[in-house]
């Protein structure tokens, strides 16, 4: 499969990759859109004319962001709806309330490097539950609205963190391994890539494609448990640059019909066989994160855990 490239790169912003794109009549959901990349992704989609629903855990913060985005973009079709990705009942309620087609779903919400082992109500390790399992359930529950869109895109925000761990199928939830914040984060972010692979494999014939991405090193609240962003300044991005690849995959006509891939810096990433140890230089996608057998196995595991899919 030939590597997919675009005219955009490391320094491109969300506004640049979506310039000239008209999203009027398109309906979108962005999870985790109360800060950082989620807000900028939602803003760019709304500025291009899309209807945007902010899927948020804290409605007070969500309503505030929605109003700020309405003022900033002149687009009144922006609202916040409660969505807790660690709670299957919340996910199901969100999906049941949806009416009509869904053209764009951006799985942006995430947590990183929880210092102590935490478990969801299902007993799952919390990073795996929030970063992957909740988004899996959301995608599956929204399958019909996505299919009815006649060309939907599901975008999942992963990370170079996926290079810290494959999905360890025999011990997903650290019942045997000593808990480690970064391998737990890495496993969850590998899982988000595999979700994009399997969604495309299963549903491309129904007009639904999915891609995953590394947004780059951006100083946001995500690093609150790691002491802040430590990447050298020359490898860091602004929030506007960090949201660009999400927006490209969500809305650019350049990637029509493209799915099952992993992007960084607005282009498909190279497959790598080891993780670079030099801080800031780590990049690419591990082969295990794109493996079709891994993707199918993970789908079955997730369906069993959530009783959806």
């Amino acid at each position: 499969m030939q590597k997919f490239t675009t005219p955009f790169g490391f320094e491109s912003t969300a506004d640049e990759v979506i310039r000239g794109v008209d999203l009027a009549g398109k309906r979108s959901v962005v999870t985790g859109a109360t800060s950082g990349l989620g807000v900028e992704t939602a803003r760019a989609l709304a500025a291009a004319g899309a209807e945007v629903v902010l899927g948020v855990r804290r409605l007070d913060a969500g309503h505030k962001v929605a109003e700020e985005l309405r003022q900033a973009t002149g687009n009144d079709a922006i609202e916040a709806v409660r969505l807790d990705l660690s709670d299957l009942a919340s996910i199901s309620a969100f999906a049941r309330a949806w009416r009509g087609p869904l053209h764009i779903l951006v799985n942006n919400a995430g947590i990183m490097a929880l210092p102590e082992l935490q478990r969801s109500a299902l007993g799952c390790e919390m990073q795996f539950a929030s970063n992957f399992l909740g988004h899996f359930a959301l995608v599956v529950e929204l399958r019909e609205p996505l299919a009815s869109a006649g060309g939907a895109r599901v975008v999942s925000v992963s990370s170079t963190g996926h290079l810290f761990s494959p999905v360890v199928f025999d011990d997903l939830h650290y019942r045997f391994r000593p808990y480690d914040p970064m391998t737990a984060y890495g496993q969850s972010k590998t899982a988000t890539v595999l979700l994009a692979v399997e969604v495309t494999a299963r549903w491309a014939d129904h007009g639904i494609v999915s891609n995953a991405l590394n947004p780059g090193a951006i100083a946001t609240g995500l690093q609150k448990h790691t002491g802040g962003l430590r990447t050298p300044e020359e490898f860091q991005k602004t929030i506007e640059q960090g949201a660009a690849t999400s927006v490209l995959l969500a809305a650019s006509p350049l990637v029509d019909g493209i799915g099952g891939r992993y992007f960084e810096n607005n282009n498909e990433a190279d497959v790598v066989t080891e993780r670079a140890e030099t801080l800031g230089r780590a990049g690419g996608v591990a082969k295990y994160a794109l493996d079709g057998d891994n993707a199918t196995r993970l789908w079955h595991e997730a369906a069993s855990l959530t009783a959806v899919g």
Side-chain angles (χ1 to χ4, degrees), residues 15-146:
D15 281 338
E16 288 170 350
V17 302
I18 205 173
R19 185 170 293 142
V21 176
D22 183 4
L23 296 181
K26 303 293 186 182
R27 308 178 72 210
S28 65
V29 170
V30 181
T31 69
T34 54
S35 64
L37 297 179
V39 173
E40 176 62 10
T41 300
R43 184 205 62 78
L45 296 176
E51 176 184 332
V52 182
V53 172
L54 314 178
V56 299
R57 187 168 53 85
R58 294 182 296 113
L59 263 182
D60 55 344
H63 289 319
K64 180 181 178 182
V65 170
E67 176 57 28
E68 290 172 352
L69 291 179
R70 287 191 289 266
Q71 293 292 329
T73 64
N75 183 344
D76 290 330
I78 305 170
E79 65 172 324
V81 177
R82 187 176 186 279
L83 175 62
D84 184 344
L85 289 161
S86 67
D87 181 354
L88 291 177
S90 174
I91 295 166
S92 183
F94 181 94
R96 287 198 309 269
W98 189 269
R99 296 291 181 270
L102 174 59
H103 302 86
I104 298 166
L105 172 58
V106 182
N107 296 326
N108 169 80
I111 54 178
M112 178 183 181
L114 299 181
E116 304 292 336
L117 175 60
Q118 298 181 35
R119 299 194 187 279
S120 70
L122 292 177
C124 301
E125 189 278 317
M126 189 60 79
Q127 293 184 79
F128 184 85
S130 296
N131 295 350
F132 164 69
L133 205 57
H135 282 125
F136 165 83
L138 181 66
V139 169
V140 172
E141 297 241 28
L142 289 172
R143 180 187 178 281
E144 291 305 319
L146 289 164

Side-chain angles (χ1 to χ4, degrees), residues 94-214:
F94 181 94
R96 287 198 309 269
W98 189 269
R99 296 291 181 270
L102 174 59
H103 302 86
I104 298 166
L105 172 58
V106 182
N107 296 326
N108 169 80
I111 54 178
M112 178 183 181
L114 299 181
E116 304 292 336
L117 175 60
Q118 298 181 35
R119 299 194 187 279
S120 70
L122 292 177
C124 301
E125 189 278 317
M126 189 60 79
Q127 293 184 79
F128 184 85
S130 296
N131 295 350
F132 164 69
L133 205 57
H135 282 125
F136 165 83
L138 181 66
V139 169
V140 172
E141 297 241 28
L142 289 172
R143 180 187 178 281
E144 291 305 319
L146 289 164
S148 70
R153 301 186 188 184
V154 179
V155 179
S156 289
V157 178
S158 183
S159 166
T160 55
H162 87 274
L163 299 170
F164 280 91
S165 178
V167 172
V168 181
F169 288 100
D170 290 328
D171 191 20
L172 290 172
H173 308 298
Y174 290 82
R175 301 191 186 282
F176 297 92
R177 293 178 287 164
Y179 175 71
D180 176 74
M182 285 309 299
T183 60
Y185 177 68
Q187 174 178 249
S188 74
K189 288 303 183 178
T190 292
T192 65
V193 186
L194 292 171
L195 177 60
V197 171
E198 189 67 7
V199 164
T200 303
R202 285 174 177 260
W203 297 345
D205 289 345
H206 301 278
I208 305 168
V209 295
S210 182
N211 291 289
L213 68 116
N214 163 34

Side-chain angles (χ1 to χ4, degrees), residues 192-249:
T192 65
V193 186
L194 292 171
L195 177 60
V197 171
E198 189 67 7
V199 164
T200 303
R202 285 174 177 260
W203 297 345
D205 289 345
H206 301 278
I208 305 168
V209 295
S210 182
N211 291 289
L213 68 116
N214 163 34
I218 306 103
T220 69
L222 187 67
Q223 299 99 17
K224 65 182 179 181
H225 296 303
T226 63
L229 187 64
R230 300 179 183 180
T231 305
E233 187 173 346
E234 63 267 28
F235 298 116
Q236 294 181 26
K237 292 186 178 184
T238 65
I239 288 176
E240 293 78 10
Q241 291 168 336
T245 308
S246 293
V247 173
L248 176 95
L249 295 175

